[in-house]
Amino acid sequence: MPSSSTSPLHLALCCVTLLSLHFCAAVPTTKVGFGYRLVSIEENRNGGGLIGHLQLKRSTSAYGPDIPHLRLFVKHETKDRLRVHITDAEEGRWEVPYNLLPREHPPPSGSKASTTPFTASEYAGDELIFSYTSDPFTFVVKRKANGQTLFDSSCGTIVFKDQYLEISTHLPKTASLYGLGENTQPGGIRLRPSDPYTLYTTDISAINLNSDLYGSHPVYMDLRNEGGEAAAHAVLLLNSNGMDVLYTGTELTYKVIGGVLDFYFFAGPSPLAVVDQYTALIGRPAPMPYWALGFHQCRWGYKNLSVVEGVVEGYKKARIPLDVIWNDDDHMDAAKDFTLDPVNYPRPKLLDFLSRIHSQGMKYIVLIDPGIAVNSSYGVYQRGMAKDVFIKYEGKPYLAQVWPGPVYFPDYLNPNGVAWWVDEIARFHELVPVDGLWIDMNEASNFCTGKCELPANHSCPVPGSKTPWICCLDCKNITNTRWDEPPYKINASGSQAPLGSKTIATSATHYGGILEYNAHSLYGFSQAIATHEALQGLQGKRPFILSRSTFVGSGAYAAHWTGDNKGNWVNLRYSISTVLNFGLFGMPMVGSDICGFYPAPTEELCNRWIQLGAFYPFSRDHANFASPRQELYVWDSVAKSARNALGMRYKLLPYLYTLNYEAHTSGAPMARPVFFSFPNFTASYGLSTQFLLGSSVMVSPVLNKAKTKVKAMFPPGTWYNLFDMTKAVISKDERYITLDAPLNEINVHVYQNTILPMQRGGMISKEARATPFTLIVSFPLEPPKEMPEGACTWTTTSARR
């Protein structure tokens, strides 16, 4: 389902490219702050770590008054993880709830901890060293092995106000940075200096470049190569408030509108070690059911069950693998969650259909949105009101509008709200035995803005409306609070949009008086946790949940897709960077809408997209109701490409399942940048047109129109063509090699010294699992004497089955 801002009309008219955007709000006319001095620092003898006290040097009025006294807590939590936590010394402040993201608590302010004076200038752990200066207070994090500086706050001033926090670090020009999402990065996976990086979960289409999108992941990986030796580390600022992150190439500055400075430093030094350490903190990626690694088909616009049955039959006739069939909101009664349309999806017929596909091993997933229709005859609404589970504004449930019309939003920070949600899912599962759930629109998306009321003079929703995304409530903007109009304007939606624009008002409140201003970017995360609890308790199996909005730790509960993309060649290319970024974020089960969500893709584009999409960790074709049908069997040529690429995917299911296990146990991304396996191959640091599945399977797709060859880069060694093992690429350096890529073929290669498990494939993963295994063992080849500089293709028999 599209976002409220990506209706077909909006997609056609309002896609904004933000490449030349600058942060006018980031350049105040007066000095924002003068920093702090360290007045004392002691070592905590009970739980370990350092406890320091900071005093403001001089106040300013820019962005509000400074907090005069801060409390510093520093601890080596593990041998390769360092935490630096700075907060108000006198008043409690908002932090990401510890029950949502379990982690160690700092010692409470004012506690009588047993301490001793700390007189050293450095605080060393096994891998990292924390050092500091007292006046002004700055700190440095260094690598113990070689003294390399990883983070240095002395290049800027620490500012700590109620609604504005600022801190900077110096970076060497040679550092390659990755992460800080979610956004669509036109320059590829490596962060570009001067591009905007704003983090605030927002329902705008992924076709908007360099803008805050559906998820908030304030973490970056820093990869450096000095003296021919690569070393990586990562930095997480665990904060759910909106922020701008300014990257100049030699400095990186955080400008955050609330919360605390809660930094975690991960020593690495390999990229794989970084994600291992990161996911050890935020939660290991959820293990996926085997069938989830198969191919998925969805469309917004399967208007009745007969259409869905025809899609399943179409795949079967075309001999294209299909494991999972999906419904967007078409199955619902008037777009209401946990209901069935009695005319188009009558329960007896739907149950019969599910019985038939389940007997074959296929699965069925449906969408649910968080907005609950305000309808006194609707049981879900009635039970929610009785249990008081909705987000409030001025003491009443906050009124918004989404697909069913007027809605209230459940509060997943409320224990009663979670229990109610778990119960509603159980009730729905009794109605329809779905195999997974798709939670969408959970940034949260709202078709209206501000304080709204039910209209007195017209219907809402408008009967028969063709534009249900147009606000029909009576609304007025909320501008009288500092939460709705904070002193610093982050670059929301790429245009400094009000924080409450097309979402929940930021002065609305959650359970316990928690402000939406603080918790906004946690909404999808908290919904995923509640949904995971429901499905796990209900089925006793690994849940499958697909979530659009994500936060730090979401990967422990859900998969992700990259949202509303466009069926064109640049979006095909952009998808690779976003998929790779989510691997860094601890969400390895990720993919983009194959062939594009909107508008109509060309036949050639869909050929190339299924070839790439067959190797996304999460592989799904999905489209908008206004687009022509684009199932893979619609075109004969696309069906041929699908049989070829998906045929290989289904043979590789044992390998993909192994990667899923590795992700769950160590955080290792399923789809990885090439530098993960070849960190000293510096030419790959910005490579965003190829990627690895696991450690050694290289995917090199065609990403441009009217091309039957592709230029690909291979780290030195022997790379065997997985479709024809008698062909190999022997690479000596970083030069590109041109490979043949006819319309129906994609280049996938396996690296030397690999043992690759495969089976014989099938139309469904259940069928493929029952076939005999094959092991591919790939040996390095000696390059021929007449081999040219760079690389060559070669015919060989040195890969063995």
Side-chain angles (χ1 to χ4, degrees):
M1 185 181 291
S3 53
S4 57
S5 58
T6 54
S7 64
L9 179 63
H10 192 96
L11 279 166
L13 299 178
C14 299
C15 177
V16 179
T17 299
L18 302 165
L19 292 176
S20 62
L21 185 76
H22 67 279
F23 288 91
C24 53
V27 188
T29 56
T30 58
K31 190 169 178 64
V32 177
F34 290 90
Y36 291 78
R37 66 171 60 90
L38 179 69
V39 295
S40 69
I41 187 164
E42 298 173 309
E43 189 163 9
N44 181 13
R45 294 173 58 189
N46 290 340
L50 304 180
I51 299 174
H53 296 276
L54 309 177
Q55 186 175 44
L56 183 69
K57 289 175 65 67
R58 177 181 167 188
S59 64
T60 73
S61 60
Y63 304 139
D66 297 89
I67 292 176
H69 300 102
L70 301 179
R71 188 170 186 270
L72 167 72
F73 176 65
V74 183
K75 185 177 181 181
H76 294 280
E77 292 189 335
T78 69
K79 67 180 182 65
D80 40 36
R81 183 175 81 225
L82 170 70
R83 185 181 190 183
V84 178
H85 182 277
I86 303 174
T87 187
D88 190 332
E90 298 169 347
E91 301 287 340
R93 292 198 46 91
W94 165 256
E95 297 188 51
V96 174
Y98 284 76
N99 63 326
L100 281 190
L101 191 65
R103 59 201 188 278
E104 184 176 339
H105 286 263
S109 296
S111 65
K112 302 298 182 179
S114 176
T115 60
T116 57
F118 185 80
T119 57
S121 60
E122 292 186 343
Y123 174 54
D126 290 346
E127 300 291 342
L128 298 173
I129 297 173
F130 172 86
S131 62
Y132 60 92
T133 58
S134 296
D135 191 5
F137 172 73
T138 64
F139 69 90
V140 172
V141 177
K142 295 182 291 186
R143 194 179 296 283
K144 189 175 183 178
N146 57 12
Q148 184 182 63
T149 297
L150 308 185
F151 192 95
D152 180 359
S153 73
S154 66
C155 66
T157 300
I158 295 176
V159 180
F160 205 118
K161 301 168 184 279
D162 189 30
Q163 290 183 265
Y164 183 79
L165 285 62
E166 181 178 321
I167 190 170
S168 300
T169 181
H170 175 74
L171 293 165
K173 290 183 179 180
T174 55
S176 293
L177 267 57
Y178 311 88
L180 296 178
E182 176 180 8
N183 57 27
T184 300
Q185 298 172 194
I189 55 173
R190 184 163 51 188
L191 302 187
R192 296 192 306 192
S194 301
D195 273 0
Y197 300 99
T198 298
L199 282 69
Y200 187 73
T201 60
T202 305
D203 175 14
I204 61 171
S205 167
I207 64 178
N208 293 286
L209 308 182
N210 291 323
S211 184
D212 47 311
L213 297 179
Y214 314 108
S216 176
H217 295 271
V219 62
Y220 69 86
M221 179 186 290
D222 180 336
L223 177 63
R224 306 176 190 178
N225 192 298
E226 297 182 1
E229 286 298 320
H233 69 275
V235 179
L236 166 67
L237 173 56
L238 186 57
N239 185 303
S240 63
N241 290 84
M243 68 180 77
D244 289 331
V245 185
L246 280 63
Y247 173 47
T248 66
T250 57
E251 291 183 4
L252 186 141
T253 299
Y254 298 90
K255 296 173 179 283
V256 193
I257 60 173
V260 301
L261 296 176
D262 193 4
F263 282 102
Y264 291 86
F265 301 92
F266 306 91
S270 70
L272 275 176
V274 166
V275 292
D276 185 4
Q277 296 152 16
Y278 181 59
T279 57
L281 172 70
I282 68 167
R284 299 297 194 190
M288 292 291 140
Y290 197 95
W291 54 261
L293 299 172
F295 183 68
H296 303 241
Q297 176 61 51
C298 185
R299 176 181 171 83
W300 181 28
Y302 289 151
K303 288 302 184 183
N304 58 56
L305 181 58
S306 295
V307 176
V308 175
E309 291 174 315
V311 171
V312 173
E313 188 62 26
Y315 273 89
K316 186 180 298 184
K317 286 183 177 179
R319 301 293 297 165
I320 300 171
L322 178 65
D323 256 80
V324 191
I325 187 71
W326 294 54
N327 266 126
D328 203 298
D329 70 350
D330 302 293
H331 67 286
M332 297 181 186
D333 180 14
K336 299 193 298 292
D337 279 350
F338 308 122
T339 64
L340 289 177
D341 182 328
V343 175
N344 294 309
Y345 284 84
R347 183 169 182 257
K349 291 185 177 180
L350 180 58
L351 292 179
D352 178 67
F353 169 69
L354 294 184
S355 177
R356 284 183 278 121
I357 67 168
H358 282 158
S359 68
Q360 300 166 26
M362 286 187 63
K363 306 297 179 181
Y364 178 60
I365 293 175
V366 299
L367 172 142
I368 48 175
D369 288 336
I372 300 300
V374 178
N375 185 326
S376 60
S377 64
Y378 174 36
V380 178
Y381 167 80
Q382 294 169 349
R383 292 185 289 273
M385 289 296 290
K387 294 183 179 296
D388 192 24
V389 302
F390 298 114
I391 293 171
K392 301 287 200 305
Y393 183 80
E394 296 180 340
K396 299 178 180 179
Y398 177 76
L399 184 65
Q401 180 187 331
V402 199
W403 299 110
V407 300
Y408 293 154
F409 288 115
D411 181 2
Y412 301 104
L413 301 182
N414 183 341
N416 286 341
V418 173
W420 163 83
W421 185 252
V422 169
D423 179 62
E424 294 301 336
I425 289 176
R427 290 170 181 266
F428 181 61
H429 198 266
E430 284 291 318
L431 186 73
V432 185
V434 296
D435 300 289
L437 289 172
W438 172 16
I439 51 177
D440 193 10
M441 307 287 283
N442 53 350
E443 292 73 30
S445 179
N446 182 0
F447 297 167
C448 302
T449 299
K451 180 181 179 181
C452 301
E453 297 179 349
L454 293 171
N457 300 319
H458 63 268
S459 297
C460 182
V462 178
S465 172
K466 301 297 184 184
T467 55
W469 50 84
I470 302 298
C471 181
C472 56
L473 299 174
D474 288 340
C475 303
K476 61 180 181 181
N477 289 331
I478 305 170
T479 58
N480 60 344
T481 80
R482 63 191 180 105
W483 312 116
D484 298 288
E485 292 291 335
Y488 176 79
K489 306 293 190 295
I490 64 169
N491 196 43
S493 300
S495 60
Q496 295 183 8
L499 296 179
S501 178
K502 297 298 183 74
T503 187
I504 300 168
T506 46
S507 51
T509 55
H510 294 253
Y511 177 76
I514 294 171
L515 282 166
E516 169 70 9
Y517 179 87
N518 292 320
H520 171 83
S521 290
L522 299 176
Y523 194 75
F525 178 39
S526 61
Q527 186 192 20
I529 294 173
T531 307
H532 188 275
E533 179 182 334
L535 289 181
Q536 192 164 50
L538 186 67
Q539 299 174 329
K541 300 177 181 178
R542 300 173 191 173
F544 180 85
I545 300 161
L546 185 72
S547 180
R548 189 169 73 178
S549 185
T550 62
F551 185 71
V552 175
S554 286
Y557 305 95
H560 177 64
W561 91 108
T562 64
D564 298 345
N565 60 0
K566 204 167 187 177
N568 61 24
W569 291 94
V570 292
N571 275 259
L572 172 66
R573 176 166 56 87
Y574 297 157
S575 73
I576 296 176
S577 296
T578 308
V579 166
L580 296 180
N581 269 333
F582 270 87
L584 303 182
F585 298 153
M587 295 200 75
M589 189 64 170
V590 59
S592 289
D593 286 346
I594 292 170
C595 298
F597 181 69
Y598 180 93
T602 64
E603 181 176 350
E604 182 192 5
L605 175 67
C606 209
N607 267 282
R608 295 308 191 186
W609 211 319
I610 184 53
Q611 291 164 18
L612 169 60
F615 298 97
Y616 292 152
F618 172 60
S619 184
R620 185 183 71 157
D621 182 318
H622 180 46
N624 184 292
F625 74 92
S627 300
R629 296 283 291 272
Q630 63 182 47
E631 291 81 9
L632 302 180
Y633 54 77
V634 169
W635 300 277
D636 288 343
S637 69
V638 175
K640 183 177 180 181
S641 289
R643 285 189 291 269
N644 189 44
L646 288 174
M648 180 57 71
R649 181 188 182 91
Y650 274 64
K651 292 176 183 178
L652 287 171
L653 284 176
Y655 181 63
L656 293 174
Y657 192 65
T658 301
L659 297 181
N660 172 239
Y661 172 79
E662 290 179 356
H664 177 57
T665 55
S666 70
M670 297 172 69
R672 308 172 189 177
V674 173
F675 65 73
F676 262 65
S677 289
F678 302 92
N680 287 320
F681 188 59
T682 56
S684 70
Y685 286 10
L687 185 60
S688 306
T689 54
Q690 297 167 256
F691 63 93
L692 292 172
L693 276 178
S695 62
S696 55
V697 174
M698 177 81 82
V699 181
S700 306
V702 172
L703 301 173
N704 296 292
K705 183 179 179 180
K707 300 294 184 182
T708 56
K709 295 181 182 297
V710 63
K711 290 185 177 180
M713 181 189 295
F714 293 89
T718 304
W719 296 82
Y720 293 91
N721 185 319
L722 205 50
F723 289 93
D724 183 353
M725 299 293 291
T726 66
K727 297 178 180 178
V729 170
I730 304 174
S731 177
K732 292 174 61 179
D733 54 33
E734 63 191 49
R735 274 174 267 194
Y736 283 88
I737 181 171
T738 299
L739 303 172
D740 289 331
L743 178 62
N744 300 120
E745 297 180 15
I746 181 172
N747 279 277
V748 181
H749 291 79
V750 60
Y751 190 54
Q752 65 187 36
N753 301 324
T754 298
I755 300 175
L756 185 67
M758 297 178 69
Q759 287 176 280
R760 295 182 182 177
M763 294 299 101
I764 299 173
S765 63
K766 180 181 178 181
E767 174 186 315
R769 291 185 82 171
T771 63
F773 275 89
T774 299
L775 292 180
I776 303 295
V777 182
S778 57
F779 296 95
L781 289 176
E782 288 294 327
K785 294 180 180 179
E786 66 274 17
M787 178 178 174
E789 291 296 320
C792 71
T793 57
W794 194 250
T795 301
T796 178
T797 57
S798 290
R800 296 285 185 250
R801 294 180 183 270

